[in-house]
């Protein structure tokens, strides 16, 4: 299956309401990344921390770069980013995120 696209919410000086959270899936998600994009990951599990992983599509001297992993503690929301486009963007201009479970709820914001 294909990754599910999350459309970033554009932040303005007038303020924006939080978008509806997108639950984690086995196939992961992707979002358009302008280099000033942030992801809010909420772990709704009350007992166990959950990981979100950002696959990095670049290599250095022909060697793959280790993916970025962030542990989200139980019952916690973390804001993660920004994601420099030269490291995180895939050929279609998106940043990918893999979630450990559907306990992770995602929201994406862009400046």
């Amino acid at each position: 299956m294909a990754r599910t696209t999350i459309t970033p919410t554009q932040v303005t000086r007038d303020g924006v309401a939080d978008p509806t959270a997108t639950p984690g899936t086995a196939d992961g998600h992707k979002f358009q990344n302008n280099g000033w994009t942030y992801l809010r990951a909420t772990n709704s599990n009350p007992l166990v921390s959950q990981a979100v992983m950002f696959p990095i599509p670049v290599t250095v001297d022909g060697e793959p770069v280790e993916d970025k992993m962030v542990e989200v503690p139980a019952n916690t929301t973390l804001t993660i980013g920004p994601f420099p486009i030269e490291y995180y963007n895939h050929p279609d201009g998106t940043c990918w995120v893999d979630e450990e479970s559907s306990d992770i709820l995602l929201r994406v914001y862009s400046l």
Side-chain angles (χ1 to χ4, degrees):
M1 300 251 321
R3 289 180 179 277
T4 303
T5 299
I6 301 174
T7 301
T9 296
Q10 186 69 40
V11 177
T12 69
R13 285 184 295 282
D14 293 327
V16 295
D18 282 336
T20 301
T22 302
T25 66
D27 296 319
H29 291 86
K30 64 182 180 177
F31 53 88
Q32 286 294 309
N33 178 32
N34 64 6
W36 291 101
T37 306
Y38 296 82
L39 179 129
R40 294 199 61 180
T42 299
N43 179 1
S44 62
N45 188 305
L47 302 173
V48 179
S49 66
Q50 303 281 328
V52 291
M53 183 79 68
F54 300 90
I56 299 178
V58 299
T59 60
V60 174
D61 292 331
E63 299 294 324
V65 175
E66 186 174 327
D67 295 338
K68 173 70 175 172
M69 186 192 71
V70 177
E71 279 290 325
V72 184
N75 272 345
T76 301
T77 298
L78 296 180
T79 303
I80 307 162
F83 303 95
I85 59 176
E86 62 272 21
Y87 304 122
Y88 287 90
N89 276 17
H90 290 259
D92 63 354
T94 62
C95 179
W96 292 5
V97 59
D98 295 325
E99 311 86 33
E100 193 168 6
S101 80
S102 60
D103 289 338
I104 294 290
L105 305 173
L106 305 173
R107 293 177 175 92
V108 180
Y109 300 87
S110 184
L111 298 179

